[in-house]
Amino acid sequence: MASGTEIEQLINLLAKLPGLGPRSARRAALQLIKKKEALLLPLADAMAEAAEKVISCSICGNVDTVDPCAICASPRRDKSIICVVEEVGDLWALERSGVMGGLYHVLGGTLSALDGIGPDDLNVAGLVLRSEARQVKEVILAMNATVDGQTTAHYITDRVEHAEVKVTRLAHGVPVGGELDYLDDGTLAAALKARREF
Amino acid sequence: MDWTDDAIVLSLRRHGESAAIAELLTREHGRHMGLVRGSSRRHGATLQPGSTVRATWRARLEDHLGTWTIEPAKSRAGILLGEAAALAGLTSACAVTSLSLPERENHRPLYDALEVLADAFEAVEVWPALYVRWELGLLAELGFGLELEACAVTGVSQDLTHVSPRTGRAVCQAEAAPYKGRLLALPGFLRGQAARGPTDERAGDMNPHDVLDGLVLTGHFLETRVWRPHGKVEPEARQRLARRLEKLAQTGRIIE
């Protein structure tokens, strides 16, 4: 071992982060140690603070330091629209786009028989309750265009059918900048099937 | 060692950050797992359950997990994503295959049958009955085929209406009458036109409830003969398929 156990521990923990392997974790650890005042201590403080304060929103399942989260509490949000996403990362992706003015609901995954994830493991009951509120007019199913994602979408459609809401889903097809020659035939088939008048 | 084969994707499980473990039903090598290197997202469209691919498996030793090199051949998920019942059928077929077949054991007829079934999900009129027939074929391939050609008691081949849950043999209407509550219904579309008898006008026909009866029939034997002895239970995907078909049957439509 070329360094002390504390440093090895730091490297091992960094190596568990997405995008970092053992080598890149070692480089990151070295950089943190070299810039102790500028990087290591502020990062340690920020992480300790996040660990203490970050909680899951009791309404939508988003992560924030307040409950309800900033999105649920915002008066500028359109409360008649609930956009259902699989994970918090999907919520962040939609927020980055800046086009979703409504509220969100994070399911926490998708139905997956193989991984033993059933309806009870997802935050579906909360969504059903929310969709029954009088002010809610539309539920947007923003699941991934995968078999598991769309199976979950169909399941949710069944569950909210008694609520008087419009259920919509994201379009499937040619991505912006996509070239037909490079698209797989499944995407092309979905795009052709979902074509609309131009 | 390495080999290349046609295969149908059964499942894909992320492994670490940039790899996935793909479970495929191959034409000549049976149900087989392997690691797909590179971004699992890059293979996202290709490796959806039900897709047909050309797969090359490589490993240093035969009992290693090995790695896949995948070339897309036919993608089916894209066109089925919006069809709730067909998607439920596809996921159920993949889950049942995954749960029922031993690993690395050649089952060429099942591969061919799954290929036909997967293609049929676009044909909304036929796939529910074909699905039940496919599960019957699965039972037969695993050595638990049902005997539906003649009555177990009288030997007649007409008026077959029920199946014994113990023996898996058909029973004619007259013999089944006293035991109806304990026997499984034999759906009309499994009796076949040749078996049509004077009191069995529905033989060869298919209605929504027949498909559900068929699912109960095959489900019983899969449960008792294939899954339970190995400590397995019916996959949730199959339960969802049954619920969806039941819902459609209540509205008088077996397909959407």
Side-chain angles (χ1 to χ4, degrees):
Chain A
M1 193 180 290
S3 44
T5 52
E6 291 83 1
I7 296 173
E8 285 299 323
Q9 171 77 345
L10 177 64
I11 292 167
N12 289 341
L13 287 172
L14 285 172
K16 291 183 179 176
L17 295 176
L20 293 183
R23 287 172 71 91
S24 45
R26 198 166 285 277
R27 283 203 299 275
L30 192 59
Q31 188 72 358
L32 285 169
I33 292 162
K34 278 182 180 173
K35 299 190 175 179
K36 187 176 174 183
E37 300 297 328
L39 273 179
L40 183 60
L41 292 176
L43 181 66
D45 290 343
M47 289 174 79
E49 198 170 349
E52 185 187 341
K53 291 185 177 172
V54 169
I55 48 173
S56 186
C57 175
S58 58
I59 298 174
C60 71
N62 187 17
V63 288
D64 206 335
T65 52
V66 287
D67 186 16
C69 69
I71 294 174
C72 289
S74 171
R76 282 186 287 183
R77 290 280 174 167
D78 183 351
K79 292 186 167 43
S80 68
I81 299 174
I82 297 176
C83 182
V84 186
V85 292
E86 291 176 16
E87 301 286 359
V88 174
D90 302 326
L91 185 158
W92 289 355
L94 283 165
E95 278 298 283
R96 278 201 305 274
S97 74
V99 293
M100 236 312 283
L103 302 176
Y104 291 96
H105 190 89
V106 182
L107 285 177
T110 54
L111 296 175
S112 173
L114 200 71
D115 296 324
I117 301 173
D120 295 338
D121 301 309
L122 304 177
N123 186 13
V124 178
L127 174 66
V128 174
L129 270 177
R130 290 181 74 190
S131 64
E132 285 168 353
R134 195 183 299 167
Q135 63 195 13
V136 177
K137 304 288 180 219
E138 181 177 0
V139 171
I140 303 172
L141 301 175
M143 275 67 164
N144 293 333
T146 60
V147 167
D148 282 349
Q150 294 308 302
T151 298
T152 310
H154 290 303
Y155 175 78
I156 289 172
T157 307
D158 289 347
R159 289 291 304 272
V160 300
E161 72 178 353
H162 298 299
E164 290 177 4
V165 292
K166 182 166 77 171
V167 180
T168 57
R169 65 160 192 177
L170 297 187
H172 298 158
V174 184
V176 174
E179 296 176 36
L180 296 191
D181 194 25
Y182 289 96
L183 291 182
D184 68 285
D185 50 355
T187 305
L188 276 174
L192 266 176
K193 204 173 177 189
R195 70 188 182 277
R196 62 182 182 186
E197 204 169 339
F198 186 59
Chain B
M1 61 185 309
D2 65 334
W3 46 259
T4 300
D5 201 353
D6 294 323
I8 298 171
V9 180
L10 298 178
S11 70
L12 185 72
R13 187 178 290 170
R14 287 185 72 175
H15 182 75
E17 207 181 328
S18 60
I21 293 175
E23 180 186 26
L24 313 181
L25 178 65
T26 61
R27 192 188 293 272
E28 303 292 346
H29 299 82
R31 185 170 72 86
H32 213 291
M33 312 266 250
L35 189 78
V36 182
R37 290 194 195 283
S39 170
S40 57
R41 289 186 183 89
R42 197 180 71 197
H43 296 288
T46 306
L47 288 174
Q48 290 301 305
S51 297
T52 299
V53 295
R54 186 81 179 150
T56 300
W57 184 80
R58 283 191 187 88
R60 195 167 62 80
L61 295 173
E62 195 176 3
D63 55 356
H64 283 180
L65 173 66
T67 57
W68 290 119
T69 305
I70 304 280
E71 284 290 324
K74 185 171 189 179
S75 172
R76 298 186 175 91
I79 209 154
L80 298 179
L81 289 181
E83 310 291 335
L87 197 61
L90 179 71
T91 52
S92 177
C94 290
V96 167
T97 305
S98 171
L99 193 69
S100 308
L101 290 189
E103 227 183 314
R104 302 187 179 195
E105 194 175 286
N106 185 3
H107 288 284
R108 171 76 184 264
L110 272 182
Y111 173 87
D112 293 337
L114 186 60
E115 187 84 32
V116 171
L117 178 67
D119 281 336
F121 283 118
E122 289 174 43
V124 288
E125 304 83 6
V126 298
W127 76 256
L130 197 61
Y131 180 91
V132 175
R133 285 187 178 282
W134 173 80
E135 285 196 340
L136 277 179
L138 174 67
L139 280 166
E141 177 70 14
L142 294 174
F144 304 111
L146 308 188
E147 294 176 37
L148 307 178
E149 304 303 317
C151 175
V153 183
T154 63
V156 299
S157 58
Q158 290 186 329
D159 288 338
L160 304 176
T161 56
H162 288 79
V163 177
S164 163
R166 198 173 59 82
T167 64
R169 298 180 69 185
V171 184
C172 68
Q173 193 171 31
E175 295 297 327
Y179 310 101
K180 264 185 181 171
R182 283 190 271 166
L183 298 174
L184 297 163
L186 178 61
F189 67 92
L190 292 181
R191 292 174 220 169
Q193 293 291 339
R196 188 190 290 267
T199 57
D200 188 19
E201 294 174 353
R202 277 180 43 227
D205 297 344
M206 186 188 83
N207 70 33
H209 297 285
D210 278 340
V211 172
L212 291 171
D213 285 344
L215 279 181
V216 171
L217 177 69
T218 52
H220 170 81
F221 290 103
L222 283 169
E223 182 88 45
T224 56
R225 298 186 176 182
V226 181
W227 299 330
R228 200 181 296 161
H230 296 283
K232 298 173 181 175
V233 293
E234 181 184 21
E236 195 153 331
R238 192 180 186 278
Q239 294 172 25
R240 275 200 297 275
L241 170 67
R243 280 197 296 271
R244 189 158 289 283
L245 292 179
E246 196 173 345
K247 192 176 167 189
L248 293 174
Q250 282 165 3
T251 60
R253 301 173 304 153
I254 197 62
I255 40 85
E256 291 168 300

